[in-house]
């Protein structure tokens, strides 16, 4: 298999990659209510999440998902400083940015999946060395459910709240050029003009993502 890169929607690849024999070890910061469908763990597996009060109140980690895993016999732990998203099986490691949530499908996430034994061992070591660990049990979940009711979803890409809405883009339809006219005459100061000149692109950039919107200035003198 080697090492493969998957993005911007990596969860189908992650789900397939971790369907292996033996125990799985995962440290995934945030869990949506649909996490069990994306991250199919079973009895004997280990899952570390960020189930801090802040994460629960922001609806970043779901008490319902925690309860599902605990009832399945998964050992679930909470680390309030966890932000990583890594998984280790006996034969593969997953390292990336994807939280176990449907909201991840609305963000540009990416992961590496590898069968490199050294990387697999390093992921296991990373998970084993996480500190400030709290065991998640029924009492913890009951308290988390109350915190969930107090809080509200905070729209964070890939964590909670569906961010990408194609019907609510910056512009209602694709445009190639748009002109915005100043309502009043304005003469930039020498300093402002210098800043404008410095930021005006001298030649098109070829590296990196394509720019969807670009702002340029044009002055039309009165005749």
């Amino acid at each position: 298999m080697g090492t493969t890169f998957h993005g911007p929607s990596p969860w189908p690849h992650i789900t397939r990659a971790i369907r292996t024999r033996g125990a799985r070890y995962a440290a995934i910061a945030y869990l949506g209510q649909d996490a069990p469908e994306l991250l199919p763990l079973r009895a004997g597996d280990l899952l570390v999440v960020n189930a801090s009060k802040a994460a629960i109140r922001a609806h970043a980690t779901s008490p319902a998902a925690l309860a599902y895993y605990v009832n399945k016999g998964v050992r679930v732990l909470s680390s309030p400083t966890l932000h990583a998203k890594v998984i280790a099986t006996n034969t593969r490691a997953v390292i990336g940015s994807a939280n176990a949530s449907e909201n991840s499908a609305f963000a540009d996430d990416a992961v590496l999946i590898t069968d490199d034994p050294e990387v697999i061992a390093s992921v296991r070591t990373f998970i084993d060395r996480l500190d400030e660990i709290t065991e998640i049990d029924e009492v913890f979940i009951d308290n988390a459910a109350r915190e969930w009711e107090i809080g509200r979803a905070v729209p964070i890409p890939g964590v909670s709240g569906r961010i990408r809405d194609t019907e609510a883009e910056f512009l209602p339809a694709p445009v190639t050029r748009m002109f915005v006219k100043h309502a009043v005459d304005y003469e930039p100061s020498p300093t402002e003009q210098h800043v404008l000149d410095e930021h005006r692109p001298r030649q098109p950039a070829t590296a990196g993502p394509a720019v969807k919107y670009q702002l340029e200035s044009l002055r039309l003198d009165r005749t």
Side-chain angles (χ1 to χ4, degrees):
M1 172 187 170
T3 300
T4 55
F5 174 87
H6 303 279
S9 301
W11 267 109
H13 304 279
I14 300 171
T15 305
R16 285 195 298 270
I18 66 172
R19 292 189 185 278
T20 60
R21 296 179 181 274
R24 282 82 57 85
Y25 303 82
I28 304 290
Y30 304 116
L31 304 179
Q33 297 185 63
D34 51 347
E37 298 178 12
L38 302 171
L39 190 65
L41 301 180
R42 56 179 176 260
D45 292 341
L46 172 70
L47 173 62
V48 186
V49 302
N50 184 335
S52 62
K53 182 183 292 186
I56 297 293
R57 285 196 175 186
H59 290 192
T61 295
S62 164
L66 298 176
Y68 175 90
Y69 287 121
V70 169
N71 291 335
K72 278 288 186 178
V74 178
R75 186 185 183 201
V76 185
L77 308 174
S78 175
S79 173
T81 57
L82 180 66
H83 195 259
K85 295 88 181 174
V86 296
I87 306 170
T89 73
N90 287 339
T91 57
R92 297 188 183 104
V94 180
I95 304 169
S97 63
N99 290 300
S101 169
E102 183 186 15
N103 293 311
S104 179
F106 295 87
D108 294 325
D109 280 318
V111 301
L112 290 176
I113 301 177
T114 183
D115 58 5
D116 186 320
E118 291 187 7
V119 176
I120 296 171
S122 295
V123 171
R124 283 287 309 275
T125 299
F126 169 80
I127 294 173
D128 289 342
R129 290 180 177 175
L130 290 172
D131 55 10
E132 296 189 41
I133 293 294
T134 301
E135 191 93 27
I136 293 181
D137 54 18
E138 291 185 4
V139 174
F140 186 104
I141 292 170
D142 288 343
N143 290 332
R146 286 191 287 271
E147 296 295 339
W148 176 279
E149 293 299 325
I150 294 172
R152 64 183 180 87
V154 178
I156 306 171
V159 178
S160 61
R162 295 191 175 189
I163 302 300
R164 181 168 295 171
D165 183 355
T166 56
E167 296 182 357
E169 291 283 358
F170 173 63
L171 296 175
V175 297
T176 56
R177 178 171 292 183
M178 179 175 64
F179 292 93
V180 179
K181 181 181 178 181
H182 284 285
V184 296
D185 290 336
Y186 174 71
E187 185 72 31
S189 68
T191 300
E192 291 171 327
Q193 187 62 53
H194 176 73
V195 172
L196 289 172
D197 293 339
E198 284 295 315
H199 287 80
R200 183 176 291 114
R202 291 173 172 77
Q203 60 183 11
T206 57
V211 175
K212 190 170 185 180
Y213 302 111
Q214 182 168 306
L215 178 65
E216 296 183 5
S217 61
L218 175 66
R219 181 181 178 84
L220 299 177
D221 292 324
R222 290 183 175 180
T223 57

